[in-house]
Amino acid sequence: MTTDGQEQFVTQQGPTLGESNVGRRIGPVVCREIMYHPPDVYKSGSFWDNEEDEYIEIKNISNAAIAFADTTPGRPWQVRGAVDFDFAETFVLEPNHSALLVRFDPVKEPARLTAWRLKWEPSAFIPVLGPFRGKMDNSAAEVNLLKPGPVDRESGIVSYVMIDHVAYRDAAPWPAAADGAQASLERKEPYLFGNDPANWTPALRSPGRSPGSGNLPSITRQPESQTVVGGVRVILSVAVSLRSDSSPLYQWRREGANVPAGTNAQLVLDPVNVRDAGRYSVVVLNRNSSLESIPATLKVLRPATIVRHHEGQNVKPRSGVAFAVGAIGTGNLTYQWNFNGSPIPEATTSSLSLVNVQAAYTGNYTVRVTDTIRSTLSNPALMNVLVRPTFATQPPSMVAIVGDSLELRVEVDSLAPLSYRWRNGTAVIPGATNAVLRLKNVQLSDAGTYQVVVTNLATGSVGTNSATSTVIVMTDLDQDCVGDEWELQFGYSPNNPNDARLDDDGDGQTTLQEFIAGTDPRDRQSYIYIDAIRVSALGIKLSFMAQANRGYTLQYRDTLDKATWQALRQLSGRDVAKPQTVIDSLPLGEIRLFRLVTPQQYNSTENNC
């Protein structure tokens, strides 16, 4: 019966029929050291199983040389179990000497053998044999040393005799330090039974050498249990007595598994994650032996965390929309949805439903999740309500003189971003991709019809077309700023610059001012003015006659002094004269001054025409 409670039937030193057993037969060759789980290697950003440094040491514990040959050729000694190896029939193991079994062929790979000896420093007199086949399992496996036994006379099958047997594990009562913690399994004494965990100790690997006999490491301060919030920096530490004969090595373990890179007196988890919670211990070892600390429990509280964010959407007007998040945390979770950073009243669950959405609903939606530890804000999700572009201001029709500079401008209410494509007739104007089309030094060839196509997410590439504006370009032979075509229409000479200063109808407007306003210079009643101001339930209604191909700005100011005039409404020129009405929602009892100017003014400066 072994110390771990396993009942085993093993070869005895001799037959004792009817008498008490005389004891287990040990040797003459035994497994003295097993390196079944060397420390993992770090390569390409990850830790990998280190198969190359596995080895087995066997030792002849007798005072006589052992020949690994049999009287019948072809029946070598063997190692079977975790790995397989067949000894050469010529191999002889000298008394009280060891041999090492490795994964490579030392005969065919002499450079590798040299490197291996430099790394592990075995005695130069110890033979290195290989390669064994397979690999030693990091969790549990058997190592069996077998020698040829009797041959069945009828079948000719060779039976093998178990010389030594070790069934190791990486769990107690087998020592934890041998499980990747830089230690190997070393037999405490060669004559002790091999398949009993009490007879093995973990110590720094020493192929071909017996473990040391000095002081064992001593833990003076055990790791302490902690309860922390996920995301902080956690340090687990151990203190060790320095009375040992050699500097100690460390291997931290979590739930019985080695922690990669946890090979110092301190284990730093930064930041700690919920999945890092568990029982931690540290194996401390030196060349003599090792011991494992008392486990410390690390509890990691999960702070409010959004694990599934809601996503942005493009939706049609008047449709319904739903947002939802998935969140985890400690204690009860509460929610508050926000629109463009402001809380949405009564939106306090994990989902948000919106009905009959309109253009004003376009914006960023977030949700703040709060638990007993903290609150966290979700990623913003942009909802676009797909409203097609609508024109608040159409491109104006206008009259220009050759050499003038013009601006065709539109104002659009819609979902941004907007794209613009201006056209002259049916031809797209290269580079004209803004809300304002500027025409510099216009010529007669620039006359024609203009239109802009505005696109957004709602329209796709087709877009929405503006109204058509007409640009009339006239020559000015006498350079009096009055178009020749207009002068001829009303009986003036295109070669007389003085007629621009005339006021033939006596309405107070010069010929030049009548040209700019598009009014009749022969009609005393034809001039630019606001012809009606009325008070209605909607506000103040202002009316005037808009002339063909002329744009207007209706301006206001609230005092009689020289305050700046402000634009109330821009009115684009159209191809024909027609009455226009503008409503100003000025509260009753307020005083406001109005004036009408042409051409359109896009700045708040005085009109000098």
Side-chain angles (χ1 to χ4, degrees):
M1 185 74 69
T2 58
T3 56
D4 58 350
Q6 301 295 317
E7 185 177 20
Q8 302 192 34
F9 296 91
V10 298
T11 304
Q12 297 293 301
Q13 296 178 10
T16 54
L17 181 62
E19 300 177 7
S20 298
N21 293 337
V22 293
R24 307 180 184 96
R25 181 177 180 177
I26 308 297
V29 181
V30 298
C31 295
R32 197 205 68 81
E33 182 179 1
I34 300 174
M35 172 60 87
Y36 72 87
H37 187 183
D40 294 340
V41 294
Y42 187 78
K43 185 178 181 181
S44 301
S46 300
F47 286 89
W48 301 83
D49 192 17
N50 181 9
E51 302 177 3
E52 298 303 313
D53 288 339
E54 296 175 354
Y55 64 85
I56 300 172
E57 178 188 344
I58 60 172
K59 183 173 183 177
N60 177 2
I61 62 174
S62 71
N63 294 320
I66 303 296
F68 281 54
D70 191 59
T71 54
T72 303
R75 297 185 297 178
W77 284 46
Q78 299 176 345
V79 172
R80 292 292 185 267
V83 295
D84 295 340
F85 180 74
D86 297 328
F87 290 88
E89 295 182 11
T90 58
F91 178 65
V92 175
L93 189 56
E94 298 298 327
N96 298 306
H97 277 63
S98 295
L100 299 170
L101 308 183
V102 296
R103 293 192 77 250
F104 62 92
D105 190 329
V107 176
K108 295 181 179 180
E109 301 175 89
R112 193 169 176 184
L113 173 62
T114 300
W116 196 89
R117 284 186 176 277
L118 287 173
K119 181 175 183 178
W120 299 111
E121 299 180 341
S123 169
F125 300 103
I126 294 179
V128 179
L129 311 176
F132 57 64
R133 301 178 297 279
K135 75 173 297 295
M136 285 183 276
D137 193 280
N138 292 344
S139 299
E142 294 184 2
V143 178
N144 301 310
L145 178 62
L146 308 170
K147 65 174 289 187
V151 179
D152 187 277
R153 294 180 180 274
E154 296 182 359
S155 66
I157 297 176
V158 179
S159 60
Y160 278 81
V161 177
M162 185 80 72
I163 300 300
D164 199 15
H165 167 67
V166 182
Y168 67 81
R169 295 179 62 84
D170 67 344
W174 288 88
D179 183 22
Q182 309 182 64
S184 63
L185 283 176
E186 304 209 19
R187 210 167 185 142
K188 292 179 178 178
E189 297 292 343
Y191 55 81
L192 295 176
F193 179 54
N195 201 32
D196 192 330
N199 297 333
W200 292 84
T201 186
L204 290 179
R205 56 260 180 193
S206 57
R209 305 186 305 276
S210 297
S213 58
N215 294 326
L216 300 180
S218 173
I219 295 177
T220 58
R221 188 182 71 248
Q222 299 284 347
E224 297 180 355
S225 297
Q226 301 182 44
T227 299
V228 298
V229 176
V232 302
R233 188 172 190 259
V234 171
I235 298 178
L236 296 170
S237 62
V238 65
V240 178
S241 169
L242 299 179
R243 295 181 296 104
S244 303
D245 297 20
S246 60
S247 298
L249 299 179
Y250 304 87
Q251 177 59 62
W252 286 87
R253 295 165 64 83
R254 175 184 172 275
E255 301 294 349
N258 294 330
V259 178
T263 55
N264 298 296
Q266 289 187 338
L267 176 64
V268 179
L269 304 174
D270 187 17
V272 69
N273 195 284
V274 173
R275 61 175 175 269
D276 294 323
R279 288 163 54 86
Y280 285 81
S281 62
V282 58
V283 174
V284 184
L285 68 156
N286 63 7
R287 67 185 181 184
N288 305 318
S289 187
S290 71
L291 75 162
E292 188 170 7
S293 71
I294 298 173
T297 300
L298 177 63
K299 294 182 179 179
V300 182
L301 301 179
R302 188 190 305 272
T305 303
I306 297 174
V307 296
R308 186 183 71 254
H309 290 265
H310 56 302
E311 297 180 352
Q313 302 181 46
N314 296 325
V315 298
K316 295 180 179 180
R318 298 181 296 279
S319 63
V321 178
F323 292 115
V325 295
I328 54 178
T330 300
N332 293 327
L333 300 181
T334 60
Y335 302 83
Q336 177 59 63
W337 288 88
N338 309 289
F339 173 63
N340 288 338
S342 297
I344 302 174
E346 300 181 4
T348 56
T349 65
S350 61
S351 61
L352 174 66
S353 296
L354 304 173
V355 296
N356 190 29
V357 297
Q358 304 297 322
Y361 286 57
T362 294
N364 284 311
Y365 290 80
T366 57
V367 60
R368 182 169 294 279
V369 182
T370 304
D371 68 355
T372 57
I373 299 175
R374 72 171 189 187
S375 67
T376 185
L377 189 66
S378 71
N379 296 333
L382 175 63
M383 184 177 77
N384 292 312
V385 181
L386 300 179
V387 178
R388 296 179 64 88
T390 56
F391 290 88
T393 301
Q394 296 284 355
S397 293
M398 58 181 62
V399 178
I401 301 297
V402 170
D404 283 351
S405 294
L406 307 180
E407 280 191 1
L408 301 181
R409 181 187 298 264
V410 293
E411 295 178 355
V412 180
D413 295 329
S414 186
L415 170 67
L418 299 171
S419 298
Y420 300 84
R421 298 195 308 271
W422 285 90
R423 296 189 300 218
N424 183 352
T426 59
V428 175
I429 303 174
T433 56
N434 298 303
V436 178
L437 173 64
R438 293 180 172 86
L439 302 176
K440 297 182 178 181
N441 189 25
V442 295
Q443 303 299 313
L444 294 176
S445 59
D446 292 317
T449 58
Y450 288 81
Q451 189 179 48
V452 64
V453 180
V454 183
T455 60
N456 65 1
L457 287 173
T459 66
S461 60
V462 177
T464 298
N465 296 335
S466 71
T468 300
S469 69
T470 300
V471 174
I472 299 173
V473 181
M474 299 182 184
T475 57
D476 182 17
L477 295 177
D478 54 10
Q479 297 184 357
D480 60 357
C481 295
V482 180
D484 296 339
E485 182 180 336
W486 189 88
E487 287 188 290
L488 291 171
Q489 177 185 352
F490 291 102
Y492 295 102
S493 172
N495 296 309
N496 180 12
N498 295 321
D499 53 16
R501 296 189 294 271
L502 300 176
D503 179 14
D504 289 338
D505 57 5
D507 61 2
Q509 301 292 309
T510 66
T511 304
L512 173 59
Q513 291 171 327
E514 300 261 17
F515 170 71
I516 293 173
T519 53
D520 187 343
R522 304 294 188 181
D523 184 353
R524 185 180 180 86
Q525 302 302 317
S526 177
Y527 60 92
I528 179 173
Y529 65 100
I530 300 173
D531 57 23
I533 300 179
R534 299 179 179 87
V535 177
S536 71
L538 299 177
I540 300 176
K541 298 175 66 174
L542 302 101
S543 302
F544 68 97
M545 176 59 70
Q547 302 298 323
N549 302 318
R550 300 309 194 269
Y552 301 87
T553 299
L554 182 61
Q555 297 178 328
Y556 74 93
R557 65 186 183 194
D558 295 327
T559 61
L560 294 172
D561 58 18
K562 294 183 179 181
T564 301
W565 288 96
Q566 304 291 328
L568 176 64
R569 186 73 51 82
Q570 300 288 352
L571 299 114
S572 300
R574 301 270 55 92
D575 296 344
V576 296
K578 59 185 295 186
Q580 293 280 3
T581 299
V582 175
I583 298 177
D584 181 9
S585 56
L586 182 70
L588 291 176
E590 297 289 333
I591 297 176
R592 176 165 287 179
L593 304 177
F594 299 94
R595 78 174 182 179
L596 186 65
V597 297
T598 187
Q600 286 175 278
Q601 305 294 307
Y602 288 100
N603 299 315
S604 58
T605 56
E606 293 288 341
N607 181 9
N608 297 319
C609 294

